Each structure stands twice: as C-alpha cells, then as structure tokens.
C-alpha cells in the first residue's frame, strides 16, 4: 500500500463493508456458474475464455456499477457536493 501512496494514490479503508463484499462475491460465483452452464462448458473453461474481460460482461458490469455508486456516495459525503459520473473509453 505504501508503494501506491508514493505514486499518488490514496487508500480509503473500510469503504466497502465486508458484508457487501461477501454477498457480491457469492453473487459473482453464482453468475459465473450460471453463465458457464448456459454455454454448456465447465466453469474453468468459461473463465479461461473470459479471463481477460476484454469485452463488457454481465459480471464485471454489475461489479463496476456497485463500486461506482459506493465511491460516488463516499465522495459526495466527503466533499459535500454532487458528483456527476461520466464514463469514457480509453484506447491504447
């Protein structure tokens, strides 16, 4: 964590409650299992094919939305102002 802080990042401890993390992890595991079953492949094969998440997936989209909302709420409370969320695509 110190290396991140040296590079300009800051750490917010306990931003996401453990209960939400546990619930989300269980939801992710369940969704991955369901998606692999729908395709008729093993969970391992499904993850090998989607491991890089190069395209938008249901799983990462849901996780991203939940985290965006948590971060937005935290910043609005901390900064006492409204935060407008804008998604941009970065190409390298």
């Amino acid at each position: 964590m110190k290396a991140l802080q040296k590079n300009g990042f800051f750490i917010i401890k306990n931003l996401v409650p453990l209960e939400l993390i546990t619930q989300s992890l269980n939801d992710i595991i369940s969704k991955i299992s369901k998606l692999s079953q729908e395709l008729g492949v093993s969970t391992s094969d499904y993850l090998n094919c989607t491991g890089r998440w190069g395209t938008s997936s249901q799983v990462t989209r849901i996780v991203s939305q939940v985290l965006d909302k948590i971060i937005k709420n935290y910043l609005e409370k901390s900064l006492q102002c409204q935060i407008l969320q804008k998604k941009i695509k970065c190409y390298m």
Side-chain angles (χ1 to χ4, degrees):
M1 281 201 288
K2 288 182 182 184
L4 289 173
Q5 288 173 317
K6 263 186 168 179
N7 290 321
F9 292 90
F10 62 96
I11 309 299
I12 304 171
K13 293 184 179 186
N14 301 316
L15 177 63
V16 181
L18 180 59
E19 180 181 297
L20 179 58
I21 292 171
T22 303
Q23 176 188 347
S24 297
L25 180 59
N26 289 334
D27 290 346
I28 290 167
I29 291 168
S30 174
K31 187 67 171 179
I32 289 171
S33 177
K34 181 181 175 189
L35 291 170
S36 66
Q37 287 175 2
E38 285 177 7
L39 294 173
V41 297
S42 70
T43 302
S44 176
D45 286 343
Y46 179 83
L47 291 173
N48 282 330
C49 292
T50 60
R52 297 184 192 271
W53 301 114
T55 59
S56 183
S57 76
Q58 294 176 4
V59 175
T60 56
R61 186 172 42 252
I62 292 167
V63 171
S64 179
Q65 289 170 352
V66 169
L67 290 175
D68 285 349
K69 187 174 182 176
I70 290 169
I71 292 167
K72 179 181 182 280
N73 290 340
Y74 176 85
L75 290 173
E76 286 180 342
K77 285 179 187 175
S78 299
L79 301 173
Q80 297 183 345
C81 65
Q82 184 180 6
I83 303 292
L84 299 176
Q85 291 179 266
K86 292 185 179 186
K87 293 279 184 171
I88 60 171
K89 291 194 180 226
C90 297
Y91 299 98
M92 296 184 150

